[in-house]
Amino acid sequence: MNTQGKPTILVVDDTPDNIDVLCALLEDDYRTKIAVNGERALKIANGEAKPDLILLDIMMPGMSGYDVCKALKENPATRDIPVIFVTAMSEELDEQLGFSMGAADYLTKPLSAPIVLARIKTQLSMKRMHDFLRDQNKFLEHEVEERTREVTALQDVTIHAMASLAETRDSETGNHIRRTSLYVKALAQKLRHHPRFSAFLTEKTIQLLYKSAPLHDIGKVGIPDRILLKPGRFEPHEMEIMKTHTTLGRDAIIAAERELGLSVDFLHFAKEIAYSHQEKWDGSGYPEGLAGEAIPISARLMAVADVYDALISRRVYKEPIPHADAVATIAKGRGSHFDPDMVDAFLAIQDEMRAIAQRYADSEDDIGEKRKRLAMFADPMGNGEGA
């Protein structure tokens, strides 16, 4: 609606006398524009300063009023401009056709000045309300988008902070979090059209898995330093304690969810991944010894990603093995450690996986910084005694 003074009405008629009558009727309350044919009417309606309402004759040479109205309503830029047909065609079928074209009202000649003005006033009032609601909806949509972005950013920051906290206490670097998340996403995208996984691996689910993956080892925060930071092999009782990181991770996320007071999609997958990523396809994994399809898909994806990264990545206490050897190890675990179809997907995209590993490889500085940090945890007082 024109907010600068009077509303603007476009009068469209091929008869100058009719235009003069209408313009004289409108001059006290409205600004007017005129067009003597349909083509000119459309040009004005599509201009920068659009009319607030159009009074449109039907019987015109070239484009008829019906044609003009149809074109106006098909164009998103002009479809909200109310159109009132002003015509001598008074048959009921003519009026029905006019409304079917999207007209807001239909006036027949000879015209009654009070009725014309009342109908215009009504349509402009309705347009004003429509414009207000449309603007309000746009404002609310913008606000929802802003709040959604804020919530998403908050989720991302929370995940990153929690994952980084776990990473500070073991031998893995922050790049491990990036790599495994990208491995999971790449595997999921490769499998999204597979008959076994297509119903589950929607675009939304893949994004949630990607966001959840960094929390797979969050439970390591609860493992004592003397075990978590041990450079050699674990004793049997130490291994049992180490295995509890899966339960600790799941329970930490459950506690956070309970504190939040509602269930969140990405935390659902985070719980699955944290708890079950050490399960094996043949049932020999932990913590529950789940086998086959009983292992959540999210955890099966993470199992492949986590093992591959452990093999090809440098650690404070070990050097990486070549990509080809890591691929051979994954292939050897097909049907025993890993879901067979996930191994097949991994083999099909192994070049993509290697590219991710190379792009986010740990540098000498990364490893050096990790050594310093672990030394601080292992000997906080500088006296050679670990925590």
Side-chain angles (χ1 to χ4, degrees):
M1 183 72 68
N2 188 335
T3 58
Q4 303 298 318
K6 301 175 181 179
T8 298
I9 296 179
L10 172 60
V11 179
V12 186
D13 200 306
D14 64 315
T15 303
D17 288 346
N18 292 339
I19 292 176
D20 291 342
V21 169
L22 287 170
C23 287
L25 179 63
L26 301 171
E27 63 182 358
D28 290 339
D29 300 309
Y30 306 103
R31 296 171 56 198
T32 56
K33 294 182 178 182
I34 61 174
V36 296
N37 56 58
E39 291 80 4
R40 177 62 181 168
L42 290 177
K43 185 174 181 179
I44 293 174
N46 281 282
E48 187 174 344
K50 291 179 170 46
D52 297 300
L53 183 142
I54 299 174
L55 296 177
L56 181 60
D57 186 25
I58 293 178
M59 299 298 293
M60 295 185 295
M63 292 186 74
S64 71
Y66 293 139
D67 295 331
V68 174
C69 187
K70 184 174 184 292
L72 289 168
K73 297 306 173 182
E74 289 177 347
N75 185 349
T78 58
R79 65 186 174 197
D80 293 330
I81 303 174
V83 174
I84 299 178
F85 280 124
V86 181
T87 179
M89 299 172 62
S90 58
E91 295 294 327
E92 182 177 336
L93 289 177
D94 296 326
E95 189 170 347
Q96 288 178 355
L97 181 58
F99 283 120
S100 71
M101 291 290 177
D105 209 340
Y106 194 98
L107 296 172
T108 57
K109 302 174 183 178
L111 300 174
S112 164
I115 291 177
V116 172
L117 293 174
R119 299 283 184 86
I120 290 174
K121 184 177 180 181
T122 297
Q123 292 304 323
L124 288 175
S125 177
M126 292 175 64
K127 182 177 187 295
R128 188 179 297 109
M129 181 58 67
H130 178 272
D131 290 346
F132 172 78
L133 293 174
R134 182 190 61 208
D135 292 343
Q136 282 291 99
N137 286 338
K138 286 183 178 179
F139 173 77
L140 291 174
E141 288 172 3
H142 176 74
E143 287 296 297
V144 169
E145 288 173 359
E146 284 294 307
R147 298 292 84 77
T148 301
R149 276 194 291 268
E150 290 175 4
V151 170
T152 300
L154 182 60
Q155 288 180 354
D156 293 345
V157 168
T158 301
I159 292 172
H160 182 75
M162 293 173 68
S164 296
L165 177 63
E167 172 264 315
T168 61
R169 298 198 58 250
D170 66 20
S171 61
E172 294 164 346
T173 69
N175 284 329
H176 169 72
I177 296 171
R178 295 189 188 92
R179 290 191 298 264
T180 50
S181 296
L182 290 168
Y183 298 151
V184 166
K185 185 176 184 179
L187 276 174
Q189 288 176 333
K190 178 63 179 177
L191 289 163
R192 66 175 304 182
H193 299 300
H194 191 287
R196 286 181 58 212
F197 305 107
S198 59
F200 175 74
L201 291 175
T202 63
E203 192 62 41
K204 178 182 177 182
T205 297
I206 292 173
Q207 188 63 20
L208 290 172
L209 292 172
Y210 169 71
K211 289 190 173 190
S212 304
L215 296 179
H216 64 281
D217 276 339
I218 186 65
K220 287 183 178 180
V221 172
I223 302 300
D225 289 345
R226 68 180 185 278
I227 296 174
L228 186 65
L229 305 181
K230 184 177 180 179
R233 295 178 65 85
F234 293 129
E235 296 296 328
H237 73 281
E238 293 173 331
M239 188 62 199
E240 291 306 309
I241 294 174
M242 188 63 189
K243 286 180 178 180
T244 64
H245 83 275
T246 56
T247 303
L248 290 171
R250 179 203 61 181
D251 291 349
I253 297 169
I254 289 174
E257 204 170 33
R258 187 182 301 120
E259 187 70 21
L260 190 62
L262 53 86
S263 179
V264 183
D265 286 344
F266 82 91
L267 288 181
H268 169 76
F269 292 122
K271 286 183 293 187
E272 288 185 344
I273 290 172
Y275 188 58
S276 301
H277 71 283
Q278 294 290 350
E279 301 285 5
K280 296 183 180 180
W281 186 253
D282 62 6
S284 63
Y286 64 88
E288 292 191 21
L290 300 178
E293 298 288 346
I295 306 170
I297 293 173
S298 58
R300 280 180 260 161
L301 290 166
M302 176 52 70
V304 177
D306 201 28
V307 171
Y308 173 69
D309 197 65
L311 293 171
I312 57 89
S313 299
R314 298 180 64 192
R315 294 288 188 270
V316 171
Y317 57 83
K318 79 168 188 72
E319 290 299 314
I321 70 171
H323 168 78
D325 292 346
V327 170
T329 299
I330 298 292
K332 186 177 179 181
R334 184 183 189 276
S336 55
H337 191 154
F338 309 112
D339 182 325
D341 288 329
M342 289 188 182
V343 171
D344 293 343
F346 170 85
L347 296 175
I349 62 167
Q350 60 173 288
D351 290 341
E352 182 180 351
M353 304 293 267
R354 176 167 51 186
I356 293 169
Q358 292 172 341
R359 181 177 180 183
Y360 295 101
D362 297 314
S363 66
E364 288 289 346
D365 289 342
D366 293 329
I367 298 298
E369 184 63 31
K370 174 58 67 172
R371 284 196 181 98
K372 292 178 183 178
R373 189 175 299 172
L374 294 182
M376 178 183 67
F377 280 114
D379 192 7
M381 303 302 294
N383 56 16
E385 295 181 3

